[in-house]
C-alpha cells in the first residue's frame, strides 16, 4: 500500500517509460512528415478532443472499479484484525483460571498468527514453509501438509480445539457458539479475499481501454500545428502518457494481492495482529512494530 510519504518519481516513470519513449519517437516522425511532406494527413483537433473526453470518462469509471476491488480487500483484512482480537479476548474471558490457561491461549495465538501470515502468503503465491515452522509445532505442520487449502485447515484446527474445550467442560455451549461465530467471520473474510484473487477483471474491457488510448496517441500529432515543434511533441507525449499512467494505476489497484507497492498491506497487517495478540496474552518477547523506510508497505 502506498503510504503518505514522499513517493519517488521513478515509481511513476518506470511504469510508462517504454510507452512514453515510443510515443515521443512517433510524434517526432509525424511532425517531420507534416513539415517536409505535402502528403501529410491533417485531422481536426475536435476529433482528438472528443476522443480524449471519452477516454477521461472511461478511465474515471475504470479507476473506480479497480479501487472498489482494492478497498474490498482492505475491508476484509480490517475485519480479520478485529475478529482476531475478539477471538483471543473471548478465550481469555471464557477460560477459567488454571495452570493450563496460558498454554491454551498461546496455542490459539500461535495458530491465529500462523493463519494470518499463511493466508497472506497464499494469496500472493509465496512459499509458506517458514511461516508454518515459525508458529506451529511439528504435528500440526504434518497435518497441514496434506491440506489443499492451508488457511482453511488452520481454521479447522481452531474449531477442533474449541470442540475439545467444550467436551472437557471448559466452555459452555453458549461460549462455544460465540467462538464458532467468530471463526465463521474469519472464514467469510478469507472467502472474500479468495474471490477477489480468483475473479479476473474482464480482459476485453482492459483491451478496449488501451485501444482507445493508443488511438488517441496516434491521431493527436496530426491535429497540432507542426510549426510549434517544441510544444507539439512534448504535449503529445505528456497527454498520452497521462492517460497511460492512469490506466496502469487502475491495473495495479485491481489486483491487491500481487506483491506490488499498491497491494493491500497484508503482511504488515499480519505483523500488527501478531503484536496485538501476543501483547494481550503476556508473551515474554513481543515483536517490534514494523518500520517502513520506503514509500509503501506490504
Amino acid at each position: 500500500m502506498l503510504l503518505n510519504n514522499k513517493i519517488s518519481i521513478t515509481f511513476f516513470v518506470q511504469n510508462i517509460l517504454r510507452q512514453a519513449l515510443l510515443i515521443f519517437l512517433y510524434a517526432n516522425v509525424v511532425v517531420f512528415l507534416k513539415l517536409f511532406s505535402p502528403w501529410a494527413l491533417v485531422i481536426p483537433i475536435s476529433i482528438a478532443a472528443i476522443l480524449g473526453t471519452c477516454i477521461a470518462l472511461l478511465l474515471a469509471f475504470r479507476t473506480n472499479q479497480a479501487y472498489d476491488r482494492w478497498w474490498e480487500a482492505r475491508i476484509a483484512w480490517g475485519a480479520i484484525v478485529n475478529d482476531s482480537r475478539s477471538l483471543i479476548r473471548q478465550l481469555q474471558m471464557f477460560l477459567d483460571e488454571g495452570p493450563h490457561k496460558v498454554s491454551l491461549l498461546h496455542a490459539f495465538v500461535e495458530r491465529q498468527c500462523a493463519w494470518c501470515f499463511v493466508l497472506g502468503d497464499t494469496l500472493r503465491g509465496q512459499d509458506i514453509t517458514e511461516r508454518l515452522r515459525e508458529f506451529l509445532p511439528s504435528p500440526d505442520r504434518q497435518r497441514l501438509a496434506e491440506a489443499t487449502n492451508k488457511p482453511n485447515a488452520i481454521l479447522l484446527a481452531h474449531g477442533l480445539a474449541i470442540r475439545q474445550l467444550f467436551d472437557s467442560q471448559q466452555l459452555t455451549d453458549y461460549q462455544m457458539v460465540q467462538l464458532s461465530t467468530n471463526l465463521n467471520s474469519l472464514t467469510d473474510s478469507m472467502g472474500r479475499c479468495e474471490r477477489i484473487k480468483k475473479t479476473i477483471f474482464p480482459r476485453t474491457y482492459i483491451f478496449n481501454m488501451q485501444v482507445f488510448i493508443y488511438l488517441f496517441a496516434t491521431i493527436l500529432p496530426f491535429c497540432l500545428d507542426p510549426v510549434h515543434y517544441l510544444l507539439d511533441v512534448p504535449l503529445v507525449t505528456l497527454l498520452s502518457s497521462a492517460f497511460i499512467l492512469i490506466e496502469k494505476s487502475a491495473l495495479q489497484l485491481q489486483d491487491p494481492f500481487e506483491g506490488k507497492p499498491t497491494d493491500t498491506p497484508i503482511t504488515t497487517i499480519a505483523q500488527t495482529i501478531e503484536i496485538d495478540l501476543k501483547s494481550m496474552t503476556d508473551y515474554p518477547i513481543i515483536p517490534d512494530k514494523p518500520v517502513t523506510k520506503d514509500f509503501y508497505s506490504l
Side-chain angles (χ1 to χ4, degrees):
M1 181 180 72
L2 297 178
L3 302 175
N4 192 23
N5 296 339
K6 184 178 180 180
I7 301 177
S8 173
I9 191 65
T10 57
F11 171 73
F12 299 103
V13 173
Q14 66 184 3
N15 287 329
I16 60 169
L17 181 60
R18 185 174 63 88
Q19 293 88 343
L21 288 176
L22 291 175
I23 292 172
F24 177 80
L25 295 175
Y26 170 76
N28 276 280
V29 171
V30 173
V31 169
F32 276 113
L33 287 176
K34 292 174 70 174
L35 284 172
F36 302 108
S37 174
W39 306 104
L41 180 65
V42 177
I43 299 177
I45 189 65
S46 58
I47 295 179
I50 294 173
L51 183 58
T53 302
C54 294
I55 291 173
L57 294 174
L58 289 173
L59 278 176
F61 180 69
R62 169 88 172 83
T63 305
N64 284 336
Q65 287 183 315
Y67 182 78
D68 285 343
R69 281 168 62 94
W70 183 90
W71 184 241
E72 184 180 4
R74 184 62 186 86
I75 290 175
W77 275 87
I80 288 173
V81 173
N82 295 337
D83 291 334
S84 298
R85 294 166 177 165
S86 297
L87 176 66
I88 302 305
R89 186 185 68 250
Q90 288 173 343
L91 285 166
Q92 284 180 309
M93 294 167 57
F94 296 158
L95 293 176
D96 293 332
E97 295 296 334
H100 301 297
K101 180 177 181 179
V102 173
S103 60
L104 287 172
L105 285 174
H106 286 186
F108 276 95
V109 168
E110 296 291 339
R111 264 196 307 270
Q112 185 60 27
C113 292
W115 180 80
C116 294
F117 282 105
V118 168
L119 176 60
D121 291 343
T122 302
L123 291 171
R124 287 178 174 162
Q126 298 173 347
D127 182 61
I128 63 171
T129 305
E130 290 300 322
R131 301 293 193 190
L132 296 178
R133 186 178 294 112
E134 179 182 358
F135 292 104
L136 298 180
S138 180
D140 291 344
R141 295 200 301 269
Q142 293 175 357
R143 285 193 295 269
L144 284 174
E146 302 174 358
T148 55
N149 188 322
K150 301 297 191 296
N152 190 57
I154 296 175
L155 287 183
L156 177 59
H158 264 335
L160 295 177
I162 291 172
R163 177 57 188 264
Q164 289 179 352
L165 292 175
F166 175 74
D167 291 340
S168 62
Q169 298 184 347
Q170 297 184 65
L171 293 175
T172 66
D173 52 354
Y174 175 77
Q175 291 169 343
M176 188 180 73
V177 169
Q178 291 295 311
L179 293 170
S180 298
T181 300
N182 204 313
L183 293 184
N184 289 339
S185 297
L186 291 171
T187 304
D188 289 341
S189 298
M190 178 177 66
R192 294 175 69 182
C193 294
E194 291 173 339
R195 172 172 52 80
I196 295 171
K197 176 68 176 183
K198 295 178 181 179
T199 302
I200 305 300
F201 205 88
R203 296 299 303 175
T204 54
Y205 189 77
I206 298 173
F207 175 77
N208 293 338
M209 190 74 260
Q210 292 174 342
V211 167
F212 285 135
I213 292 175
Y214 288 115
L215 178 61
F216 173 80
T218 301
I219 68 173
L220 185 58
F222 293 100
C223 302
L224 301 177
D225 189 348
V227 176
H228 304 292
Y229 171 80
L230 295 178
L231 178 62
D232 293 348
V233 173
L235 188 62
V236 171
T237 304
L238 288 174
L239 289 177
S240 302
S241 298
F243 284 144
I244 294 172
L245 181 60
I246 296 173
E247 197 268 340
K248 283 185 173 292
S249 298
L251 279 174
Q252 293 175 336
L253 284 176
Q254 75 183 24
D255 297 317
F257 305 124
E258 299 298 326
K260 298 177 294 189
T262 52
D263 268 14
T264 300
I266 51 183
T267 301
T268 302
I269 292 174
Q271 291 171 339
T272 301
I273 292 173
E274 180 185 4
I275 293 171
D276 289 347
L277 299 190
K278 289 185 175 180
S279 298
M280 292 168 63
T281 51
D282 298 325
Y283 265 71
I285 300 177
I286 299 175
D288 296 329
K289 292 184 178 180
V291 178
T292 303
K293 298 181 180 179
D294 297 317
F295 56 90
Y296 65 92
S297 64
L298 293 177

